[in-house]
Amino acid sequence: MPVFSTKRKLNSHLRSNSTKNHTIGLVPTMGALHSGHLSLVKKAILENDQVVVSIFVNPTQFNNEEDLLKYPKTMASDVAQLEAISDNILIFAPSVKELYPEGTQSETFNFNGLDMLMEGRFREGHFDGVGTVVEKLLKAVGPDRAYFGEKDFQQLLIIQKLVALKEIPVQIIGCPIVREPHGLAMSSRNERLSTEGRQEAGFIYRTLLKAKERFAKKSAFKVKEWVTRQFEQNPRLTLEYIQIADATTLRPLTRKQKGKKYRAFVAVYAEGIRLIDNIAL
Ligand code: PAF
């Protein structure tokens, strides 16, 4: 499987005669691939002639140095998993210097408040880092479509905003969350949990499912209170936040309105690992 480490080589391959006029699907990742990523890759394969998977652990989106250092790097297994799916995938795995020749600085974006709450509030600078690297990746690859998981729902909306702001001609496609058998949303961070921790973390999704049922009859305030209590009674998980928000603007819900779509979002610590999840209500 071809692995390109420079924009120039990737581009000359993508624009060569063999692939000219082909539609390109990009799946941006930070590696440590799991079934969640593979579901994005499979969808991209169905919808495009050529698929590029980028593998790049982006330093500017980490506000915690230890998190960045501990981020799993599993290139050999990533390549093997992609090879098992299709021989029509290219990997773009640039160095930090290649993507950030002038130093690892984030651009500051105006995402119209989408980045103020939830992940934005608890991970300062995170979405400027995501916006910076996604813009670089989109410009380096020039895809027709780019695929992102709904597990990072706030990130997905911010990337849609980014391409509108920067007028980047690409279709951003959101894909459903893939879950482990016990319900935990797939994430590269799950590898850092013990077997019991992973099982225990299934509690997060079970609680979201019950919150969804309650939301049919109760106010957002009551549902948030109930979710908070459930986590208080579970000594192995610590809730950082529960938010119920408009699924388009991410503004916290104060009063339900007919015809509007809402989503519940949580961040939870399990064995010191920060996990996020969300559900359409
Ligand atoms: O979701 C991720 O893995 C990252 O935030 C992304 C989109 C690849 C940017 O580094």
Side-chain angles (χ1 to χ4, degrees), residues 28-30 56 58 61 130 133-134 148 152 155 159:
T29 80
M30 297 206 296
F56 179 70
N58 174 37
Q61 72 189 73
V130 170
V133 78
V134 171
F148 297 87
D152 298 297
Q155 167 175 281
I159 290 167

Side-chain angles (χ1 to χ4, degrees), residues 173-266:
I173 298 179
C175 305
I177 300 174
V178 179
R179 297 182 180 280
E180 296 194 357
H182 292 286
L184 177 60
M186 292 268 182
S187 163
S188 307
R189 288 161 185 251
N190 299 357
E191 294 298 323
R192 287 163 61 192
L193 294 169
S194 68
T195 313
E196 304 83 69
R198 230 156 147 152
Q199 219 165 307
E200 182 65 39
F203 180 86
I204 301 169
Y205 183 50
R206 291 198 298 279
T207 307
L208 284 178
L209 283 172
K210 287 186 201 146
K212 181 182 170 102
E213 263 175 43
R214 286 182 171 249
F215 186 74
K217 297 200 195 90
K218 306 266 183 202
S219 69
F221 180 79
K222 288 266 176 226
V223 174
K224 288 199 285 187
E225 229 180 30
W226 180 83
V227 169
T228 306
R229 264 201 319 276
Q230 303 315 298
F231 281 96
E232 277 167 2
Q233 286 161 18
N234 186 328
R236 300 183 57 188
L237 301 173
T238 307
L239 181 70
E240 186 174 61
Y241 66 75
I242 157 81
Q243 187 58 275
I244 295 182
D246 183 299
T248 313
T249 62
L250 294 186
R251 293 218 178 89
L253 168 58
T254 43
R255 230 167 81 223
K256 282 189 215 172
Q257 283 176 39
K258 269 220 166 93
K260 285 229 168 173
K261 288 191 175 140
Y262 300 107
R263 254 178 132 92
F265 299 84
V266 287

Side-chain angles (χ1 to χ4, degrees), residues 148-150 152-160 172-174:
F148 297 87
E150 286 183 350
D152 298 297
F153 194 84
Q154 189 174 11
Q155 167 175 281
L156 172 65
L157 293 195
I158 283 174
I159 290 167
Q160 276 162 349
I172 300 300
I173 298 179

